[in-house]
Amino acid sequence: MVFITSYFNISNMPKPIISLILSVTCLFFVSCVGQQEARSPKGYDFSNPVKYDMPDDLTEISGIAFNKGNPDTLFVEQDEDGKLFYFKPGSKDVPAIKFGKSGDYEDLAIISNQVVMLRSDGVLFTFPLDVKNAKPAVKELDSLLPKGEYEGLFADDASQLIYALCKRCAMEKSSKTNTIFSFKLSADGALQSDGKFIIDVKKIEELTGTKKITFHPSALSKNRQTGEWYILSSVNKLLVVADPNWVVKAVYTLNPRTFHQPEGMTFDNSNNLYISNEGDKVQPGNVLKFELTK
């Protein structure tokens, strides 16, 4: 408050005016500090990423994943070609293998040496992770998920479960919930339903102070260190953090200058956080790395 009292000569002001000036000043500083803290989840600084620009083939980069959290190779898909790209972050050499026809692929997960691909209509594709095999044997699973639009997929090595997050589902009678479906993966690449979970959008509204939110999530991952679920929404420009039981506990607004179109998210085995952004005609797609702070 020193610079306020120095800037304004308040010694001759009426006490009510002095109280008003100090009260407004306090509210201003509290508000600014709160906004600064809310910009990034604990352990990460969203204002200071390491940025990896993508080549033209990955302008429309969508899902990203590591195999067992190994940061040496990032596996990527984009939402037009049925290809699995793989490369070391920062490398300009980005090879790919063809696994399917062109389509709107939105996310991928890797578990037990199997790749699982999610198409936006809820169709899942599984095939062995073998980059030397130019023509992998692919299973197409088209009846596991109810009708809807899907963008988020995550594989949990610890539980051996796969989670698919619905962006818009016909089964949801209101916009106040988002459903997550879980599956067990068998050794041959087949999936079996294991349950479902709910994200309470009303809690997101409460934490953001917004009365009406239609939440459209675009990516899903799990913080291995805390057990928390990270749910990303490109449309809403939000990162939602939920506890291990899917109870929403925090919401962070994303700066659109940093997060142009965030579509993918994953953690490596050091718990560094990675978020991918689709590009456009002006700027390339990218992957942002947020290193875990000690």
Side-chain angles (χ1 to χ4, degrees), residues 158-216:
S159 66
Q160 289 293 291
L161 288 175
I162 293 168
Y163 298 85
L165 174 58
C166 194
K167 183 177 182 180
R168 298 183 185 91
C169 268
M171 62 170 284
E172 293 169 343
K173 296 181 180 180
S174 78
S175 61
K176 298 307 176 186
T177 60
N178 290 96
T179 307
I180 305 101
F181 302 90
S182 64
F183 302 93
K184 276 282 189 183
L185 177 72
S186 62
D188 64 355
L191 294 173
Q192 291 184 335
S193 296
D194 192 75
K196 63 181 180 180
F197 309 90
I198 297 295
I199 297 170
D200 184 2
V201 178
K202 289 182 180 179
K203 187 64 176 178
I204 298 175
E205 292 175 340
E206 177 187 325
L207 290 172
T208 57
T210 306
K211 290 185 178 180
K212 292 183 179 180
I213 287 181
T214 303
F215 188 58
H216 295 309

Side-chain angles (χ1 to χ4, degrees), residues 76-95:
V76 171
E77 50 77 31
Q78 46 100 306
D79 60 9
E80 288 186 350
D81 298 331
K83 292 181 179 180
L84 173 68
F85 297 82
Y86 57 98
F87 54 93
K88 183 177 179 63
S91 173
K92 297 188 181 300
D93 181 21
V94 184

Side-chain angles (χ1 to χ4, degrees), residues 15 17 100 217 246:
K15 287 185 177 180
I17 299 297
W246 300 97

Side-chain angles (χ1 to χ4, degrees), residues 198-256:
I198 297 295
I199 297 170
D200 184 2
V201 178
K202 289 182 180 179
K203 187 64 176 178
I204 298 175
E205 292 175 340
E206 177 187 325
L207 290 172
T208 57
T210 306
K211 290 185 178 180
K212 292 183 179 180
I213 287 181
T214 303
F215 188 58
H216 295 309
S218 55
L220 173 70
S221 195
K222 191 175 187 178
N223 185 319
R224 292 175 174 85
Q225 190 175 76
T226 65
E228 295 168 326
W229 292 102
Y230 279 42
I231 304 125
L232 184 68
S233 173
S234 181
V235 173
N236 302 98
K237 288 292 187 291
L238 293 176
L239 175 68
V240 173
V241 177
D243 72 12
N245 296 313
W246 300 97
V247 177
V248 174
K249 56 187 293 188
V251 182
Y252 302 92
T253 301
L254 301 177
N255 186 337

Side-chain angles (χ1 to χ4, degrees), residues 33-44:
V33 171
Q35 289 177 10
Q36 186 176 16
E37 291 176 348
R39 221 174 274 140
S40 308
K42 185 177 180 180
Y44 304 96

Side-chain angles (χ1 to χ4, degrees), residues 13-224:
M13 290 183 180
K15 287 185 177 180
I17 299 297
I18 295 173
S19 297
L20 178 62
I21 291 173
L22 293 177
S23 297
V24 171
T25 303
C26 287
L27 287 173
F28 173 81
F29 277 104
V30 169
S31 174
C32 287
V33 171
Q35 289 177 10
Q36 186 176 16
E37 291 176 348
R39 221 174 274 140
S40 308
K42 185 177 180 180
Y44 304 96
D45 181 1
F46 277 1
S47 68
N48 188 33
V50 177
K51 185 169 75 168
Y52 303 108
D53 284 338
M54 297 292 104
D56 290 344
D57 285 348
L58 289 174
T59 297
E60 297 197 35
I61 184 173
S62 189
I64 57 176
F66 292 113
N67 183 21
K68 298 179 181 178
N70 183 351
D72 290 342
T73 304
L74 183 65
F75 295 90
V76 171
E77 50 77 31
Q78 46 100 306
D79 60 9
E80 288 186 350
D81 298 331
K83 292 181 179 180
L84 173 68
F85 297 82
Y86 57 98
F87 54 93
K88 183 177 179 63
S91 173
K92 297 188 181 300
D93 181 21
V94 184
I97 58 173
K98 184 81 172 174
F99 71 87
K101 299 177 182 178
S102 297
D104 189 13
Y105 302 99
E106 292 293 345
D107 211 348
L108 80 157
I110 299 174
I111 185 171
S112 299
N113 211 40
Q114 291 276 338
V115 179
V116 185
M117 285 282 180
L118 173 66
R119 204 167 65 190
S120 62
D121 58 1
V123 176
L124 294 161
F125 302 83
T126 66
F127 56 92
L129 178 60
D130 183 1
V131 296
K132 295 180 181 179
N133 187 353
K135 295 183 178 180
V138 180
K139 282 186 170 61
E140 182 175 333
L141 309 169
D142 61 0
S143 59
L144 288 175
L145 291 167
K147 289 184 179 180
E149 183 181 357
Y150 296 81
E151 289 198 6
L153 193 71
F154 173 74
D156 189 351
D157 291 313
S159 66
Q160 289 293 291
L161 288 175
I162 293 168
Y163 298 85
L165 174 58
C166 194
K167 183 177 182 180
R168 298 183 185 91
C169 268
M171 62 170 284
E172 293 169 343
K173 296 181 180 180
S174 78
S175 61
K176 298 307 176 186
T177 60
N178 290 96
T179 307
I180 305 101
F181 302 90
S182 64
F183 302 93
K184 276 282 189 183
L185 177 72
S186 62
D188 64 355
L191 294 173
Q192 291 184 335
S193 296
D194 192 75
K196 63 181 180 180
F197 309 90
I198 297 295
I199 297 170
D200 184 2
V201 178
K202 289 182 180 179
K203 187 64 176 178
I204 298 175
E205 292 175 340
E206 177 187 325
L207 290 172
T208 57
T210 306
K211 290 185 178 180
K212 292 183 179 180
I213 287 181
T214 303
F215 188 58
H216 295 309
S218 55
L220 173 70
S221 195
K222 191 175 187 178
N223 185 319
R224 292 175 174 85

